[in-house]
Amino acid sequence: MVVVDQLWQKHQPLLQQACAALQARGHWTPYPEIPSGKLYGASAREEGEAAYQALPGSHFSLLGPAPQGVDGVEVSPYTGSLGISYDLYAAEDLVDVAKQGMPAWRDAGPQQRAAVCLEILERLNKRSFEIGHATMHTTGQGFAMAFQAGGPHAQDRGLEAVAAAWQAMSVVPATSHWHKPQGKHDPLVMDKRYHIVPRGVALVVACSTFPTWNTYPGVFASLVTGNPVIIKPHAQAVLPVAITVQVCQQVLAEAGFDPRLVTMAAEGAEVGIAQTLATHPDVKLIDYTGGNAFGDWLSEHATQARLYKEQAGVNTVLIDSVASMKRTAQNLAFSVSLYSGQMCTTPQAILIPRSGVSTDEGTLSYEQVCEYLCNTVRKFLSDPERAAGVLGAIPNPATIQRLQQASALGKVLLASEAHGIPGYEGALYRTPLILSVEGHDPVWQQEQFGPVSFLVAVEDSQEGLALIAETVASKGAITLGVYSTDEALLDQAEAVAVEQGVALSCNLDGAVFVNQAAAFSDFHATGNNPAANASLTDPAFVAGRFAVVQSRRHVAAREE
Amino acid sequence: MVVVDQLWQKHQPLLQQACAALQARGHWTPYPEIPSGKLYGASAREEGEAAYQALPGSHFSLLGPAPQGVDGVEVSPYTGSLGISYDLYAAEDLVDVAKQGMPAWRDAGPQQRAAVCLEILERLNKRSFEIGHATMHTTGQGFAMAFQAGGPHAQDRGLEAVAAAWQAMSVVPATSHWHKPQGKHDPLVMDKRYHIVPRGVALVVACSTFPTWNTYPGVFASLVTGNPVIIKPHAQAVLPVAITVQVCQQVLAEAGFDPRLVTMAAEGAEVGIAQTLATHPDVKLIDYTGGNAFGDWLSEHATQARLYKEQAGVNTVLIDSVASMKRTAQNLAFSVSLYSGQMCTTPQAILIPRSGVSTDEGTLSYEQVCEYLCNTVRKFLSDPERAAGVLGAIPNPATIQRLQQASALGKVLLASEAHGIPGYEGALYRTPLILSVEGHDPVWQQEQFGPVSFLVAVEDSQEGLALIAETVASKGAITLGVYSTDEALLDQAEAVAVEQGVALSCNLDGAVFVNQAAAFSDFHATGNNPAANASLTDPAFVAGRFAVVQSRRHVAAREE
């Protein structure tokens, strides 16, 4: 297959760089995160926006089995109903077409599959502006974030998965020559072949908030190891997935493979296809991001498949002592505001000792730290343009309702405010609600998905760490932030992090935020607490997606 | 810790060799498989036998929590009741003591843990004769096989697991320096640390036939990745596990770790501790070898743990055409006889075309091939010393009963005979029962654990391959043997093997047998059919046993 060989020639250097980056875990990415014409081409911005603008009100056509209907319910929190319709399929038919392309994809081997995956990622990167707008209007993220998280950062995670899977597959040689001495007798000699084979059909259940970032790792890890992939998007965030599947299908077809190796299982008003797919006997891999109800259901019912899941958690920050109260507060103000607290990495509870916090502005009481944080958040969000860009718009009415009811959960230190988003008539951004509660009040240990932050009064940092350990163990967490000028306390926090399996960020007071995880360097989740049973991207995330089948044949002495 | 550092200095070269061997997958082992005084020391044979002889009738003491009683029900099929008693513990107590040693073992890191594991394996190797006798008298294997499979071959698989886990852990660096340029501004710089952490307590449920070979992979994969291990032996085959645990505890204590990081959950007449342990919330890893009833139960109930299991299957051989009918028949006679067909790799059904088999002795009919095979088995087992050594003695009365009832399942071509084992008064070996059945008769597709072989009449090789594919898909298999002088048919068989996920051996007519799998070269099972969900030892077998927890801290510009 000439085309695929060309793709391999083209992309092999990038794969090697990605593997080296994964081993070094420093900063690295081939996909620029800045939405700049200099990096993406002078006309990329306008072309991307125009491509997006052409979509609302149309039918988005993808390849798949025979459609059983069409539907589409996406509503942009900026511009209203998108009016985009998608084909609906029967679960059984989706599995059938997935299996049709599997043998040729399997037999193509890791190198050809990697080449195709890298080409898909390159084409996705070129459509980053269009994907950015699609992500903005389905998730509600501000455009800058939607571009980054939906485009290059998601592509980073996809490439990381390809590289990690490549490393895992490379442990197994294609052939071996087995030569066992037999003393005076002729040696026993065998030639052996080792085939990397897929597990079966892979299902990826996407979430509404990060339809590409949380989806690409599973999609590319499964695809590069030989498994066909069915992506089930959230009904509110289909478009970024649809564009992704379109690119996958185009590249697969050009490379001579069945384009329906990647399909989309859209839902409309009627839901339930995820359950049917997840328990299909031929579905052997499931990636899931979302709430605990379906996550727990999958663990219980989808026992025929290997399940990689990320669900709810309660992320915490402890402020023991700080080098700069101002920079600390600015950093946290951004962290709690970004995307209206709807990140799985957003800190929900900030624990502050009543014994006081040592700072460069003197020792501050619990109340003073609370006031400092609230004032910083207020000031940070005082400019509507910036506030709208950072907070975005919340598409899910349930999140808004939760926010409205949350005022009753503690003492309101900063009320949430709704303001119009400049340029989008009728669209609103909502500033975070900040509550003060006591450490022993379990209310802050429940996930409040959305712009709700708890400032939690604890006796001292030791009680804070103990409460954090308890919360991570029982509710799960993906991030933990600790501020301290005391090395011994940071070491203690690291021991808690290791014991509870949560990533620790210490003294973030610059332009790195606890909710950010950089591909090729940061692991996202650990799999060792209730928030997730998998990690982006550790060896366990990729190794289970393929099996090795060997064959062996005698080599006669004369042939040796 | 000086002792562990010395162990690392001592064993590092072996670990490097093992990792290189794993990547090359040629023949390699540091543990000699021949029970020879030249290799193990002039007095090793006598000392090993004496060490074993001192055990029957005694109490075998191990470290653990407070014993709740003692029991022991092992019966040697050669010499009768062993009369060895073991301490019994409460499941909850076993988990508690396992967790006590875990933090120090985790924090010791991969290098110290690998050093300890390699020292354990070396000590086990030195006790191979004693373990050989213990294996012989609990499993019924002849001594030569018991020595090999229970000693060096099991140690090979343990070392292989250590090497594979080492490779998987090595993908993650201990630290990284993250340096992200910010245009005209100062770069963002962070120092990061990555901790390899265990999943939790590991449970290994051993089987009665290969109490060490099927156990060491899980034990060493879990232990080297930081997890404490509880081994639950089969009540009939405790002693080889007990000796193993004794060695583990001795080495752990000498190295300064809690010896109860490896404990034994013995059962006596009363059973059930495996269920309690397997569903304990702190048990996060389970390795299981055994029947489908408990294997299926584990899949359904032990959802808090990662499960690596091997259960029943139906292994098949197809004879399409052969270069040497004599050598083929001799090879298969050994394969069906070895350990009375009680290997998970034993071929149970040999499919033979009614269209005839092309051989060096002319084209033989189905009946002629059957007769040839039966005569070869009869002749091979005509010498009682050899027959007893190859067949061993069957300890499980249920297996003998199954054999006695199996005559009704088809046309008896060769009846099973019971003969006295030279040197062991009252002990019997039993020759295989060989039955002829039609391909469409589903009887041969049910596992008949023990010395029962089916010769299956199929129309032609195509029907044979189709029936094999169907059997592997529905019943599972670990091995598939195909004999053909036609390359196209071998390729077709390889395609079936790849599709169904079963290891293929072609034209074995020398001293390699379909039931044998060599560590560092052959994968044992694939995880892609119902016989097993795991493979010894592919990347998936080891990668899920640890998580990575990271911490990151800003590096101020001046510190860089």
Side-chain angles (χ1 to χ4, degrees), chain A residues 192 195 494 499 523 550, chain B residues 106 195 494 522-523 550:
Chain A
K192 305 187 181 185
H195 302 272
E494 192 150 332
E499 184 71 30
F523 290 93
Q550 73 168 57
Chain B
R106 174 192 70 206
H195 302 272
E494 193 150 332
D522 292 321
F523 290 93
Q550 73 168 57

Side-chain angles (χ1 to χ4, degrees), chain B residues 191-212:
Chain B
D191 276 336
K192 305 189 182 185
R193 287 187 235 175
Y194 307 94
H195 302 272
I196 302 278
V197 303
R199 292 291 182 196
V201 177
L203 169 67
V204 180
V205 181
C207 64
S208 65
T209 47
F210 292 92
T212 60

Side-chain angles (χ1 to χ4, degrees), chain B residues 165-242:
Chain B
W166 179 262
Q167 282 186 331
M169 292 189 287
S170 301
V171 167
V172 182
T175 61
S176 77
H177 189 69
W178 185 80
H179 183 284
K180 185 177 180 182
Q182 297 290 292
K184 290 167 292 183
H185 302 284
D186 283 347
L188 297 173
V189 185
M190 305 202 84
D191 276 336
K192 305 189 182 185
R193 287 187 235 175
Y194 307 94
H195 302 272
I196 302 278
V197 303
R199 292 291 182 196
V201 177
L203 169 67
V204 180
V205 181
C207 64
S208 65
T209 47
F210 292 92
T212 60
W213 195 96
N214 274 99
T215 304
Y216 286 5
V219 168
F220 285 96
S222 283
L223 196 60
V224 78
T225 50
N227 308 276
V229 178
I230 301 168
I231 313 180
K232 205 294 284 180
H234 190 282
Q236 164 59 27
V238 185
L239 186 56
V241 172

